[in-house]
Amino acid sequence: MMSLICNLLFLYSLVVLGRIVLSFFDVPTDHPVGRIRAGLSTVVDPLLRPIRSVLPPLRLGGIALDLSPLILLIAINLVTRAIC
């Protein structure tokens, strides 16, 4: 059972990383990459929203850096280290 949980946490980390990478590409939703990004967002955004409500984007001049995926990855890593 623990092995399954550990594997799911690892898989979710990969999904979060995929969401981060695909967020850099501005493609329409009907494009295959846009559909993948929308699917990953559906899975990842419910956990990112509470983090974003507490931690606003970091302003760097004219750019806003969203640190919530990094915080989520750190949290997943801590949970994985604690139970695996």
Side-chain angles (χ1 to χ4, degrees):
M1 183 64 174
M2 285 305 238
S3 175
L4 176 65
I5 293 172
C6 294
N7 288 335
L8 288 174
L9 286 169
F10 176 72
L11 181 63
Y12 197 77
S13 294
L14 292 179
V15 170
V16 172
L17 284 172
R19 166 76 166 81
I20 291 169
V21 170
L22 291 180
S23 70
F24 290 110
F25 300 101
D26 188 25
V27 294
T29 310
D30 60 344
H31 189 276
V33 174
R35 283 188 286 236
I36 292 170
R37 184 177 62 194
L40 294 178
S41 295
T42 302
V43 174
V44 174
D45 282 357
L47 289 180
L48 290 179
R49 276 189 217 107
I51 299 169
R52 286 179 178 146
S53 69
V54 175
L55 181 70
L58 181 64
R59 292 282 176 194
L60 301 170
I63 299 172
L65 182 63
D66 183 14
L67 296 176
S68 59
L70 178 64
I71 301 299
L72 180 58
L73 283 174
I74 291 170
I76 293 170
N77 191 356
L78 290 174
V79 169
T80 301
R81 286 177 184 257
I83 65 172
C84 295

